[in-house]
Amino acid sequence: MLNSDLLHDQLSALAQNHGLSRWDMGASCSTDLSVQVDRGKAHQLKGAQRSAVTVRVWNSDGRVGITSCSDLSADGLAQALSGAAEASAFGDLQDPPDLSPRSTESLEPLKREPQATRPIQEMVQTLISAEQRLLDCHPSIGTVPYNGLSQRRGERVYLNSLGARRHEERSSASLYLYARAEEAGRKPRSAGAVRLGHGTDELDVQGCIDEAAELTISHLDYAPIDTGTYTCVFSPEAFLDLMGAFSNLFNARSVLDGLSLSKRESLGESVAVPFFSLWDDARHPANLGASAFDGEGTPTARLPLIEGGVLRQFLHSEGTARQFGVASTGHAGMGAKVSVSPDWFEIGATPGAGCGDASLNRFQADGVVWIDSLSALHAGVKASQGAFSLPFDGWLVKGGERRSIEAATVAGDIRQVLKSLLAFEGEAQVTPDGLCPHVWVEGLAITGEA
Amino acid sequence: MSFLDSFWQQRLELLLSTGRAAGADLVEVFLERGDRLGVMAEQERVTSVSPAFVSGAGVRVFRGKDHGYRDGFVSTNDLSEAGLLQALDQALGMLGLERNGAAAAADFQGLPELKDYGTSKQSWLDQSPGVSVIAERLLEGTARLEQHAQHLQARRGSYSRDWQEVMVAASDGTFARDLRLHQTLGLSVLAADGEHRASVARRFGSTDHPDDLLVWDADSTARDIAASTGTMLYADYVDAGTYPVVLANKFGGVIFHEACGHLLETTQLERGTSPFAGRIGEPIAHEAVTAIDEGLSNRHFGSIAMDDEGLEPQRTTLIENGVLKAFLSDRAGEWRTGQPRTGSGRRQSYAFSAASRMRNTFIAAGPHSPAELIGSIDNGLYCKVMGGGSVGPTGQFNFSVEEGYLIENGELGKPVKGATLIGDAETVMPRISMCANDLDLAAGFCGSVSGSVYVTVGQPHVKVDSITVGGR
């Protein structure tokens, strides 16, 4: 257990000894268990006890130094503070971070209780059973080469010399099943599914099996696709992946650094079709990684980024907010140069603006590419250019019938994509990265494998 | 100053003996202390200096053939005796075993004399450049970028140092220690002119030589980036299609790494996801292809004095004239697949159990000149600079092309961007039909089951007769 009061007192005393009056620290500890199985037997079982602390200090010149350490003992804290004090000699004077004035605001705690963890042997049995049930779904499914059941329980604190004492606990569990199927004379195919929960008991195991089986079987009958320009419909996961890869659109740090597709003056500009809206919501009940405060202790909140197709806000840390003359939005990491990142996207229709072309239905479409999942975003996305060229798994829908695409890439420009949205289809679905319906996009370049 | 010294022998012997007495067939403990530093410069300022200290242990317990080759692994930041015993208890519990009081294993005779590969490396951390020197070099780099490149919107230089002290002890008598030093230094730019944008980066990687940073040529790197930026800023997107391609040397080797290398790791054999399982002695590639993975070469990023299971590395010929010769194997891979260990058991840190991983992996030089390869193509693509890639569970691979040129009538044509190459190993390996005589290697990072490890990829210029090029 992290003792906020003890850590605060220890660091206060250490800072005083170094003649430092301004400091902050983030610390975390966690325990993890994970299991993998292979054809009915436990394959690899893993556990971890982790701890980490990061200390920042401001020296008498106002320069900031930072050091991280994996040792949460008094010795570790002393090492971290001493390292930060040394590093502060090299701090940037032009654009130094400061303590967040919002770090001492009252905080509305998240309504969730960490859930109990399950014994590892019980986890193994759950996963073995899930693997077998997935293998039983279709004779072509020969193995489930990638599978895992894991659970984590952890806590984190944020403390600073202004008196901030933030603390929260969380628990999470995940299940993934990735099946490999092969039919005589044809290439092997694979697909999978993931389920998340606050604890193992919350995991929808049968739903995960059903989805993995359905997807895998749907890819058994495949064909190449002709290279060309297609109307595409993205699954919620795929569209959220794409938006996440281009989140520098909303990132004030990237704007200031000249690495964003947006500029300071982009706020108020139309960047998408009018029915498109996007929020960032770290506190959403479905967000398993929900946190009540960011790396600078600033409270998190639901934030509209695009409303009615218009860019409304950027994501901020204390430092970027100061430069923009606004309040921090609670999206900071902790660093010598503070990073800014999104939490959890909610994509949906602008109230009163409809959902685009309501007649579009992917189950009755013709000549449409249904993109289920995108791959290799780390390599195929050029975030600062707006361009992407990505392999994907999906289907070509003809006459309402879908057939798996053998291998293909989808390419385009995110700015063009947001202007070429045709419709949202169906209800928004909860995914690990956010909430989103199926999204129709016109005119994307598809390359098929000949 | 050494942290992992002889003081640890008694504590490690207690853990190994206790684990064996509890019924484990093999117990392994991996200890690590790390000292890391990151520095970033933007434009004319140093904007981030980030030191980090880590220490931890990974305890792995195996049960052998009679128990299905199972293993349990627990990592911890608590290096006290109580903390390590708690980790051992948890690992034993995963396999249905429990500590048998203070009993010692009758057949565990203690650890032999330490094999210390770190003796001559004690001063490496102290010899590494300090923040002032690093900052000076980075700012020199960003200044050179300003001097040589145009339309720059952002200039960055970044440095990272990863100093690692590791000790491995196992109940089979393994007892070894090493010190490692990896440094990287990179420059990157974002250029913009109206609607045209280009981002170009180069990274230099060094292993084991503390003063390599001092010999890095900032001006040459900046000129290289400036040239690429000038070319790619106005480049058109590549037309999608299926073409013959020539992949440049150095980082072009990512094609072999992604398309084939991963599928030759026993980790993939264990999962049943390699199409090359059971095919040693069979042709799996064009006869022009000989491929090697080794961990021995001086200065290369993937070189190691010992792997993370305490075994010395080897030079492993994977493919010879198109015929599959060997797989890369770690301890668990040897147990589960029968493939002999190759000194390839690697992990990012104590937080991961070791797995079979590549080290310095390359396609051997061939007889042709690069011009002969390009000259053999009427209509194709020349991939001068490659980006990252990945491989899926059925062997489909992909990687991006950062800087490409059309090949028209045997000559290089206009620059193109936005290309992604896709395919599967079984199809593409027989299509690597020509290898040039200009083998060269490049430093990189590889992420997989045991985390991110330092690797080298490499090749001479190679020609692939036909591959799908994703574009617009």
Side-chain angles (χ1 to χ4, degrees):
Chain A
M1 284 288 290
L2 293 173
N3 184 328
S4 301
D5 293 336
L6 177 63
L7 288 169
H8 189 279
D9 292 348
Q10 285 177 320
L11 207 60
S12 248
L14 287 165
Q16 199 169 8
N17 289 342
H18 279 78
L20 300 164
S21 59
R22 198 159 29 138
W23 55 265
D24 68 354
M25 75 170 280
S28 63
C29 65
S30 63
T31 57
D32 300 72
L33 277 179
S34 67
V35 301
Q36 290 175 33
V37 301
D38 182 16
R39 287 158 278 201
K41 292 178 182 171
H43 180 66
Q44 188 160 63
L45 313 177
K46 290 184 178 177
Q49 290 104 36
R50 289 275 185 284
S51 58
V53 59
T54 300
V55 173
R56 281 193 308 184
V57 301
W58 282 254
N59 68 16
S60 55
D61 297 333
R63 296 176 189 267
V64 180
I66 189 168
T67 293
S68 300
C69 183
S70 59
D71 180 0
L72 264 174
S73 70
D75 287 347
L77 285 182
Q79 184 182 32
L81 188 118
S82 174
E86 283 180 33
S88 69
F90 303 96
D92 179 24
L93 269 181
Q94 189 171 321
D95 183 18
D98 202 347
L99 296 173
S100 170
R102 300 192 62 202
S103 62
T104 52
E105 285 181 10
S106 63
L107 201 63
E108 187 181 345
L110 296 167
K111 295 184 179 73
R112 63 175 180 208
E113 288 296 319
Q115 297 198 359
T117 53
R118 290 290 174 192
I120 197 159
Q121 299 304 341
E122 194 176 309
M123 293 170 69
V124 170
Q125 289 312 312
T126 299
L127 192 55
I128 285 175
S129 168
E131 180 198 41
Q132 187 57 52
R133 282 143 66 194
L134 179 51
L135 291 170
D136 290 343
C137 286
H138 196 272
S140 69
I141 300 178
T143 59
V144 187
Y146 294 90
N147 64 72
L149 176 59
S150 64
Q151 55 186 14
R152 161 177 284 208
R153 204 178 158 129
E155 55 184 319
R156 62 184 276 256
V157 298
Y158 173 81
L159 313 169
N160 69 25
S161 52
L162 297 177
R165 296 189 189 199
R166 310 288 204 200
H167 178 265
E168 66 184 3
E169 292 180 71
R170 71 168 62 142
S171 63
S172 62
S174 68
L175 167 69
Y176 67 92
L177 299 167
Y178 218 93
R180 187 177 191 272
E182 192 164 5
E183 290 187 320
R186 309 223 71 193
K187 290 182 179 179
R189 308 289 282 171
S190 65
V194 179
R195 289 294 183 275
L196 304 179
H198 290 102
T200 307
D201 293 347
E202 261 187 24
L203 294 174
D204 176 12
V205 178
Q206 190 57 49
C208 191
I209 294 166
D210 292 344
E211 183 183 338
E214 192 272 327
L215 286 173
T216 307
I217 293 164
S218 78
H219 288 300
L220 284 172
D221 178 30
Y222 61 86
I225 186 170
D226 291 336
T227 295
T229 301
Y230 291 80
T231 294
C232 298
V233 56
F234 286 78
S235 72
E237 292 90 343
F239 198 76
L240 284 163
D241 277 348
L242 198 61
M243 289 309 301
F246 288 102
S247 63
N248 74 12
L249 277 164
F250 322 110
N251 189 318
R253 182 74 265 165
S254 298
V255 172
L256 290 172
D257 290 347
L259 300 173
S260 173
L261 294 168
S262 303
K263 295 183 168 66
R264 268 177 179 259
E265 56 272 23
S266 298
L267 292 179
E269 287 181 358
S270 172
V271 296
V273 295
F275 67 82
F276 182 87
S277 290
L278 184 152
W279 299 262
D280 185 78
D281 189 0
R283 301 176 62 91
H284 194 284
N287 176 12
L288 289 171
S291 183
F293 57 91
D294 73 357
E296 295 180 322
T298 302
T300 55
R302 186 171 189 264
L303 197 71
L305 301 177
I306 297 175
E307 278 184 318
V310 175
L311 185 61
R312 292 294 184 203
Q313 289 199 62
F314 292 132
L315 306 172
H316 284 287
S317 65
E318 173 282 327
T320 64
R322 189 159 26 93
Q323 295 198 45
F324 276 77
V326 298
S328 174
T329 57
H331 291 87
M334 190 189 227
K337 174 167 181 164
V338 174
S339 61
V340 172
S341 54
D343 281 307
W344 202 80
F345 284 156
E346 187 180 334
I347 292 172
T350 307
C355 293
D357 186 344
S359 69
L360 295 176
N361 180 336
R362 65 190 182 280
F363 297 104
Q364 296 171 3
D366 193 47
V368 167
V369 171
W370 179 349
I371 294 174
D372 187 51
S373 63
L374 298 167
S375 305
L377 285 102
H378 69 289
V381 166
K382 308 300 173 207
S384 58
Q385 299 176 40
F388 62 89
S389 178
L390 298 165
F392 70 92
D393 286 334
W395 307 272
L396 176 63
V397 187
K398 276 187 176 173
E401 297 289 323
R402 65 177 185 174
R403 189 172 189 198
S404 178
I405 296 167
E406 180 175 1
T409 64
V410 57
D413 184 290
I414 191 65
R415 293 162 294 189
Q416 190 60 39
V417 166
L418 291 174
K419 295 279 193 180
S420 305
L421 303 178
L422 294 173
F424 289 140
E425 183 190 341
E427 294 295 313
Q429 295 175 16
V430 172
T431 80
D433 298 318
L435 188 68
C436 185
H438 280 77
V439 182
W440 284 72
V441 184
E442 190 176 28
L444 287 172
I446 301 289
T447 306
E449 188 175 19
Chain B
M1 184 175 146
S2 176
F3 169 72
L4 301 175
D5 53 21
S6 55
F7 161 81
W8 284 92
Q9 179 161 350
Q10 196 175 354
R11 185 173 290 179
L12 289 167
E13 286 175 339
L14 170 69
L15 288 167
L16 302 178
S17 177
T18 303
R20 287 282 289 119
D25 292 304
L26 190 122
V27 183
E28 178 199 76
V29 182
F30 180 87
L31 298 170
E32 177 190 358
R33 179 174 65 131
D35 185 321
R36 299 170 188 158
L37 175 65
V39 183
M40 183 164 67
E42 295 170 274
Q43 280 68 251
E44 289 81 30
R45 293 184 294 138
V46 173
T47 53
S48 175
V49 176
S50 306
F53 306 102
V54 295
S55 56
V59 179
R60 195 174 187 184
V61 174
F62 290 85
R63 302 212 77 185
K65 186 177 180 183
D66 295 341
H67 299 90
Y69 293 123
R70 296 162 60 199
D71 72 278
F73 175 79
V74 175
S75 60
T76 180
N77 294 121
D78 184 352
L79 297 185
S80 68
E81 184 171 305
L84 291 170
L85 280 168
Q86 185 186 357
L88 175 67
D89 283 342
Q90 193 180 359
L92 289 168
M94 290 173 174
L95 304 185
L97 302 172
E98 60 182 50
R99 212 182 331 160
N100 184 15
D107 60 350
F108 178 68
Q109 303 301 317
L111 291 167
E113 185 180 347
L114 179 71
K115 268 190 182 177
D116 196 342
Y117 297 95
T119 308
S120 62
K121 309 171 185 174
Q122 286 296 136
S123 58
W124 276 3
L125 184 57
D126 292 335
Q127 288 174 3
S128 298
V131 176
S132 298
V133 174
I134 295 163
E136 189 180 310
R137 302 262 33 213
L138 291 176
L139 292 172
E140 180 190 353
T142 57
R144 299 287 186 183
L145 289 170
E146 175 73 2
Q147 184 182 343
H148 296 309
Q150 294 184 319
H151 303 294
L152 294 184
Q153 190 160 309
R155 291 170 282 139
R156 274 187 172 173
S158 61
Y159 167 88
S160 77
R161 180 190 71 212
D162 182 3
W163 178 91
Q164 205 188 20
E165 179 181 20
V166 300
M167 179 175 273
V168 190
S171 57
D172 65 354
T174 301
F175 189 35
R177 170 183 174 270
D178 194 18
L179 294 172
R180 295 152 177 182
L181 177 67
H182 290 90
Q183 299 178 91
T184 68
L185 200 153
L187 293 179
S188 63
V189 298
L190 173 66
D193 183 14
E195 287 301 301
H196 300 284
R197 285 179 158 233
S199 49
V200 177
R202 298 287 187 270
R203 181 155 290 278
F204 165 75
S206 153
T207 185
D208 292 358
H209 290 266
D211 56 356
D212 268 356
L213 183 65
L214 304 176
V215 301
W216 170 67
D217 188 340
D219 191 62
S220 167
T221 305
R223 284 179 187 275
D224 183 23
I225 289 175
S228 283
T229 306
T231 302
M232 298 311 295
L233 185 57
Y234 305 104
D236 289 333
Y237 285 99
V238 67
D239 287 337
T242 300
Y243 304 107
V245 302
V246 173
L247 297 154
N249 59 357
K250 295 187 179 178
F251 207 69
V254 72
I255 187 174
F256 182 81
H257 181 100
E258 299 296 352
C260 191
H262 279 297
L263 301 174
L264 301 180
E265 296 166 341
T266 50
T267 317
Q268 301 286 334
L269 299 184
E270 291 175 44
R271 293 179 195 276
T273 50
S274 173
F276 304 126
R279 294 181 61 183
I280 283 186
E282 293 181 19
I284 65 165
H286 194 283
E287 62 185 14
V289 175
T290 290
I292 290 148
D293 180 277
E294 55 88 15
L296 301 164
S297 300
N298 185 30
R299 280 195 140 88
H300 286 145
F301 219 35
S303 293
I304 44 179
M306 66 172 205
D307 74 359
D308 293 319
E309 297 179 318
L311 191 65
E312 291 185 4
Q314 303 171 356
R315 180 183 172 92
T316 310
T317 299
L318 300 171
I319 298 170
E320 189 170 29
N321 300 327
V323 175
L324 178 62
K325 291 292 182 183
F327 293 97
L328 298 174
S329 185
D330 62 325
R331 189 197 303 275
E334 182 178 63
W335 278 28
R336 292 173 180 146
T337 71
Q339 300 299 326
R341 290 168 71 185
T342 50
S344 309
R346 303 187 68 193
R347 59 182 115 199
Q348 176 180 328
S349 71
Y350 67 91
F352 298 85
S353 55
S356 54
R357 301 291 296 274
M358 285 175 269
R359 300 158 297 190
N360 307 309
T361 314
F362 56 91
I363 295 176
H368 305 284
S369 69
E372 284 180 276
L373 273 59
I374 293 166
S376 71
I377 294 173
D378 288 334
N379 177 27
L381 181 68
Y382 174 56
C383 306
K384 183 180 176 186
V385 180
M386 309 301 299
S390 63
V391 61
T394 55
Q396 325 96 308
F397 66 84
N398 62 79
F399 52 96
S400 65
V401 181
E402 299 291 325
E403 184 176 343
Y405 296 82
L406 298 181
I407 301 174
E408 296 164 323
N409 301 318
E411 295 190 347
L412 293 186
K414 67 174 189 174
V416 288
K417 63 183 178 182
T420 299
L421 308 190
I422 61 171
D424 67 81
E426 282 189 284
T427 306
V428 165
M429 290 310 298
R431 294 181 183 169
I432 300 178
S433 61
M434 294 174 79
C435 295
N437 52 11
D438 59 344
L439 170 66
D440 205 349
L441 286 79
F445 300 89
C446 172
S448 186
V449 289
S450 59
S452 176
V453 298
Y454 301 99
V455 297
T456 298
V457 296
Q459 64 175 27
H461 276 75
V462 302
K463 176 187 173 186
V464 183
D465 290 338
S466 171
I467 194 167
T468 299
V469 179
R472 297 193 189 177

